[in-house]
Amino acid sequence: MNLVTNNKWIGQRTIRPDGMDKVTGRAQFAADTTMPGMIWGKVLRSPHPHARIKSIDTSKAEKLPGVKAVVTSKDIVDFPIEKGAVMLGIQDMRWMCRNVMARDKALFPGHPIAAVAATTEAIAEEACKLIEVDYEVLPWSIEIDDALKPDAPVLHEFNKFDGKPSNIVGRLEHKKGDIAEGFKKADLVIERTFTTRPVHQGYIEPHACLISVAPDGKTTIWSSSQGQFMVRAMTAYLTGIPQSDIRAIPAEIGGGFGGKTIVYLEPLATLLAKKSGRPVKMVMTREEVMRATGPTSGSKSTVKIGATKDGKIVAAHGTFYLQAGAFPGSPIRGAAGCSFTPYDIPNLLSEGYDVCSNRSKVAAYRAPGAPIGAYAVECVLDEVAEALKMDPLDFRLNNAAKEGTKAAHGPVFPRIGYVETVEAAKASPHYAAPLGDGNGKLQGKLRGRGVASGFWFNAGGESSAQVNITEDGNVVVTTGHPDIGGSRAGIANICAELLGIDYRRVSVIIGDTQTVGFSNLTGGSRVLFASSMVVTQSTEKIIQTLRERAAKIWEIDPEAVKWENGAAHPASPNAGQFEPLTLEELAEKAPAMGGPIGAGVQLNTQGADGGFGTHVCDVEVDVDLGIARVIRYTAVQDVGRAIHPGYVEGQLQGGVAQGIGWALNEEYIYTKEGKVDNPGFLDYRMPVCSDLPMIDCIMVEIPNPKHPQGVKGVGEVPLVPVMAAVANAIYNALGKRFYALPMSPPKVLEVLEAPTQQAAE
């Protein structure tokens, strides 16, 4: 494919196609959907962190006037543990069937036990209270250290690690060279241990769905998700309804960040609708979202780095324990695979351990695992740089991965943009600006500056698109991915560019599972990369058809026709003298020239390039109150090619905002009874506008040569360096390091008041 470089619309800040609907409230989200005869579904959830379910009696609930259906685990398709994994993407249906509805045991507070459908929400809630469950309460563990104790209660008795029952349910390693020999060559070795707390993705829109099951079994799902094909497949697996009988329609999505890549409500609502013969609507409360949907992992990480006096890293060892929650599946791949990747380290061992504990099953969160690993690695890197008396960015440049570097997780890098991100950060006005009054002090507060880098793999995968020319010469593009990061705007820019027309003539819609070919999830920073490939190839087919039709009208060879500026032209004077035929004119003539003009392409896209970023952060710490505030932030990233710069900047700024929350305030707090104590936005402290500075963005554009527009995914990388950059800035301000997140006021005061350096636990 040829790289498009001379652009009219690619790289422009065009008006987003969904903007008007969203600012006027016309956009339809899942909770906005209604149907005649609709009833409401509610879920009964376990009050216990760990309990054997001895019996469930639903008879009283079923007799309550207004109740139309009740389902329990016996209604969900069982995937027996002993028969081995049943994979759908990265999810094992053995765990999913037990996550959507508890079977033998409740494994976390909030674990679904039963679901009820009734004519009103109030009746459904009352019916849930009438369900009698006989629990045998079991010992439980929430934290990693507790789950790893020799006498810890084991969540899954069948699981063994090192030959013994264990809550360690998986291990992954990446190895390069010989770390023992590498550390022998080091003049300086620093080893530190870090902890992070579980944090939620924090999407504003809760999970919601409306599902209708017709008498013939044909099922229609309207829901909020990051992939309607995922919804269809998981619902089919868990209910036993054939995928061909399920139509999943994606609503607009009010945030996901990875948290809506699995299902919670859809199988339950489907079974309730099937039993009741009525459409069933389910909407989670915020408390249900916080208690029973996937945050990302809490973690315990140990990182050891050895370097020579001249600032070369010779060895590194990272061990990352991540909480999976109730079922296997923590993002150890991101922690172990991404953390050291910005650097050329000859001897490296990076290990990830997947640990179950009695909390809700984790779900993906923006570069899953990578921010956790980067927090530990980038903080130790700063300590090494300081001990060597090197500028932290110079130290990173001295060890930067570049073309030809072999990453521990496998690939040998082609041309990558990491070095350029560090150089751009170093040359930025931010990095050169003074702090406070010149010595970091201002009005009794201390200021500091920190830096950090990060990496995310990015991805391709299956995508489908259909491009159709309307009768009046405009364009409708249908793709198969929910638009979370601005893919519709990017696709409109690309399609308009290729056709040579105004971008406002291109409409981009998200098809459902029966109107467009299979398309994988919106996640992994894959969607614009993948969808623009299939849209490009579809549009190229359209252009070929337009050239052929113009050639037929002019009675010349199609090779003698070129397409530019929205019209067919003779390729040269030798082809003949003809007036251009515009897209509108050719569309008007379509009925007489072969019929409708359209083309579709389905691909398993390949060639995704990983993404790198480097961040600079300034903080101000009130030493009396322990409050740390980010006062200036610059995010630098190799974005490949910025198809829509406004959206790219939005991705960078959004990732930074989330990372600041993760660094300074956000955490799940558990009671002594093992329950989440802050399941709402009043007590779970996400940053709001007043907590954040203006966030500057520097886009480094190193186009991906394997993509027609040079696209690289950009959505994941911006979160990866943030916690480390904030932590390094706080150290620069206070001269004391923090080895635990969040760095909230009580923990800052604890460290400030300690007589010697200590970790904030």
Side-chain angles (χ1 to χ4, degrees):
M1 289 178 280
N2 296 320
L3 187 65
V4 177
T5 56
N6 183 21
N7 303 294
K8 181 176 181 182
W9 299 117
I10 291 175
Q12 299 302 310
R13 299 172 186 268
T14 52
I15 296 172
R16 55 189 290 175
D18 57 329
M20 182 65 74
D21 285 352
K22 286 180 176 172
V23 300
T24 60
R26 193 166 60 231
Q28 291 289 301
F29 295 86
D32 297 322
T33 312
T34 61
M35 284 187 74
M38 180 186 82
I39 59 177
W40 288 87
K42 285 291 181 182
V43 176
L44 172 68
R45 300 181 183 277
S46 168
H48 305 293
H50 197 190
R52 197 172 307 281
I53 302 170
K54 299 174 72 174
S55 66
I56 302 174
D57 184 352
T58 63
S59 58
K60 291 181 181 178
E62 290 166 347
K63 293 174 184 176
L64 184 68
V67 170
K68 301 300 181 182
V70 178
V71 300
T72 62
S73 62
K74 70 181 188 310
D75 299 293
I76 303 285
V77 175
D78 184 18
F79 293 90
I81 303 296
E82 63 274 10
K83 290 190 177 181
V86 180
M87 301 305 296
L88 179 63
I90 63 171
Q91 301 296 338
D92 189 335
M93 290 298 103
R94 295 179 301 170
W95 315 135
M96 292 306 302
C97 77
R98 288 161 175 78
N99 194 50
V100 299
M101 191 71 79
R103 286 194 173 273
D104 304 317
K105 292 198 297 183
L107 294 169
F108 61 92
H111 201 165
I113 302 297
V116 176
T119 51
T120 69
E121 286 185 273
I123 294 174
E125 288 176 354
E126 183 63 28
C128 285
K129 297 175 186 176
L130 295 176
I131 296 173
E132 297 175 353
V133 185
D134 185 8
Y135 294 104
E136 177 191 347
V137 178
L138 302 171
W140 47 267
S141 58
I142 298 293
E143 306 303 337
I144 288 174
D145 285 343
D146 294 331
L148 295 180
K149 288 177 180 177
D151 60 347
V154 175
L155 274 70
H156 304 290
E157 291 86 351
F158 61 85
N159 180 70
K160 289 182 171 57
F161 187 79
D162 286 341
K164 293 179 285 188
S166 175
N167 288 317
I168 297 177
V169 291
R171 180 182 179 274
L172 170 72
E173 77 167 38
H174 297 295
K175 191 173 183 180
K176 180 181 175 184
D178 186 327
I179 61 167
E181 289 300 313
F183 280 117
K184 288 179 183 178
K185 298 175 183 177
D187 299 310
L188 170 72
V189 176
I190 293 179
E191 180 175 3
R192 299 286 184 261
T193 296
F194 301 81
T195 61
T196 68
R197 307 294 296 165
V199 297
H200 201 272
Q201 295 85 349
Y203 35 83
I204 300 301
E205 178 201 25
H207 296 264
C209 65
L210 172 63
I211 298 178
S212 172
V213 180
D216 62 357
K218 299 295 184 182
T219 301
T220 306
I221 301 172
W222 293 266
S223 70
S224 171
S225 80
Q226 290 180 235
Q228 62 273 32
F229 290 91
M230 173 276 299
V231 168
R232 180 181 70 176
M234 286 194 179
T235 302
Y237 270 96
L238 298 175
T239 64
I241 298 173
Q243 288 197 49
S244 56
D245 284 350
I246 298 176
R247 180 183 184 185
I249 301 173
E252 289 287 351
I253 182 169
F257 313 109
K260 292 178 180 174
T261 54
I262 59 176
V263 295
Y264 297 98
L265 299 178
E266 289 91 339
L268 307 183
T270 298
L271 291 168
L272 289 169
K274 186 176 180 180
K275 275 194 170 186
S276 67
R278 303 271 290 273
V280 172
K281 183 172 184 175
M282 300 183 79
V283 180
M284 282 191 184
T285 65
R286 180 59 54 187
E287 182 172 333
E288 286 180 303
V289 170
M290 298 298 288
R291 291 193 189 281
T293 70
T296 194
S297 303
S299 70
K300 182 176 182 180
S301 306
T302 299
V303 169
K304 179 180 178 182
I305 294 177
T308 57
K309 292 177 182 177
D310 62 352
K312 281 291 184 182
I313 301 172
V314 289
H317 183 195
T319 305
F320 307 98
Y321 287 88
L322 270 62
Q323 290 170 318
F327 299 100
S330 71
I332 54 176
R333 174 177 173 266
C338 294
S339 306
F340 295 100
T341 301
Y343 308 104
D344 187 357
I345 303 173
N347 304 289
L348 173 64
L349 176 60
S350 187
E351 305 172 86
Y353 291 87
D354 191 16
V355 182
C356 277
S357 61
N358 295 109
R359 43 157 291 190
S360 55
K361 171 180 165 55
V362 301
Y365 181 17
R366 210 166 188 162
I372 290 170
Y375 164 59
V377 170
E378 294 292 315
C379 287
V380 176
L381 280 173
D382 255 39
E383 288 202 55
V384 175
E386 182 184 37
L388 295 172
K389 296 181 170 54
M390 289 185 69
D391 176 273
L393 289 181
D394 286 339
F395 182 62
R396 285 166 172 81
L397 282 173
N398 206 36
N399 294 281
K402 52 183 70 73
E403 185 174 0
T405 298
K406 179 175 174 55
H409 64 275
V412 175
F413 285 127
R415 171 81 191 283
I416 59 175
Y418 176 55
V419 167
E420 286 84 348
T421 69
V422 182
E423 290 174 339
K426 190 175 180 183
S428 69
H430 183 172
Y431 203 63
L435 271 169
D437 61 1
N439 63 1
K441 295 180 181 179
L442 188 68
Q443 299 176 347
K445 298 176 182 178
L446 298 178
R447 288 186 173 182
R449 176 168 296 154
V451 301
S453 295
F455 166 83
W456 177 250
F457 307 106
N458 290 334
E462 304 96 327
S463 289
S464 301
Q466 180 74 31
V467 179
N468 291 98
I469 308 301
T470 64
E471 294 87 335
D472 59 355
N474 292 310
V475 185
V476 177
V477 181
T478 305
T479 68
H481 324 87
D483 179 4
I484 296 178
S487 57
R488 280 176 290 200
I491 289 300
N493 283 5
I494 289 169
C495 191
E497 189 76 54
L498 295 171
L499 286 169
I501 60 176
D502 190 284
Y503 79 97
R504 284 170 285 252
R505 293 174 57 189
V506 181
S507 300
V508 184
I509 62 174
I510 312 303
D512 63 54
T513 55
Q514 291 191 357
T515 61
V516 70
F518 178 83
S519 300
N520 214 324
L521 288 164
T522 295
S525 293
R526 63 169 295 274
V527 164
L528 187 61
F529 169 85
S531 61
S532 57
M533 276 190 167
V534 290
V535 168
T536 294
Q537 293 189 23
S538 299
T539 306
E540 288 172 345
K541 289 184 176 183
I542 294 283
I543 291 171
Q544 178 61 26
T545 298
L546 294 169
R547 291 173 57 228
E548 290 171 353
R549 295 196 176 183
K552 190 173 182 179
I553 292 169
W554 293 334
E555 298 182 343
I556 62 176
D557 192 285
E559 298 305 314
V561 179
K562 64 181 180 180
W563 185 268
E564 62 182 20
N565 296 322
H569 303 260
S572 70
N574 293 336
Q577 299 293 325
F578 304 104
E579 287 296 314
L581 284 169
T582 66
L583 182 59
E584 297 96 314
E585 291 169 330
L586 288 167
E588 185 181 359
K589 298 176 185 295
M593 298 298 298
I597 303 170
V601 169
Q602 299 83 38
L603 287 177
N604 187 0
T605 59
Q606 307 293 319
D609 267 0
F612 294 88
T614 300
H615 292 191
V616 184
C617 173
D618 289 359
V619 298
E620 183 176 270
V621 185
D622 186 319
V623 296
D624 295 320
L625 301 176
I627 297 172
R629 292 183 60 85
V630 176
I631 57 174
R632 186 172 183 179
Y633 206 101
T634 299
V636 186
Q637 188 167 317
D638 171 18
V639 301
R641 191 73 192 281
I643 303 299
H644 192 292
Y647 261 118
V648 173
E649 289 173 348
Q651 290 291 316
L652 269 62
Q653 292 164 341
V656 170
Q658 290 178 312
I660 290 172
W662 197 339
L664 295 180
N665 297 107
E666 293 185 43
E667 64 176 317
Y668 268 51
I669 299 171
Y670 288 88
T671 66
K672 292 180 180 179
E673 292 75 35
K675 298 179 183 180
V676 179
D677 200 30
N678 58 335
F681 286 159
L682 287 177
D683 299 312
Y684 180 86
R685 182 74 169 83
M686 281 171 46
V688 295
C689 286
S690 58
D691 297 313
L692 300 169
M694 298 297 289
I695 298 167
D696 295 323
C697 302
I698 299 174
M699 294 182 288
V700 175
E701 293 190 278
I702 310 292
N704 178 357
K706 300 183 287 291
H707 190 277
Q709 288 84 33
V711 168
K712 296 177 183 175
V714 301
E716 244 95 347
V717 176
L719 179 57
V720 180
V722 184
M723 293 99 77
V726 176
N728 288 334
I730 291 177
Y731 168 74
N732 186 245
L734 302 179
K736 293 191 175 185
R737 285 207 173 269
F738 290 75
Y739 298 106
L741 298 181
M743 295 171 287
S744 54
K747 296 175 182 177
V748 172
L749 289 174
E750 180 184 341
V751 170
L752 285 172
E753 293 167 0
T756 58
Q757 171 67 67
Q758 68 176 54
E761 299 296 343

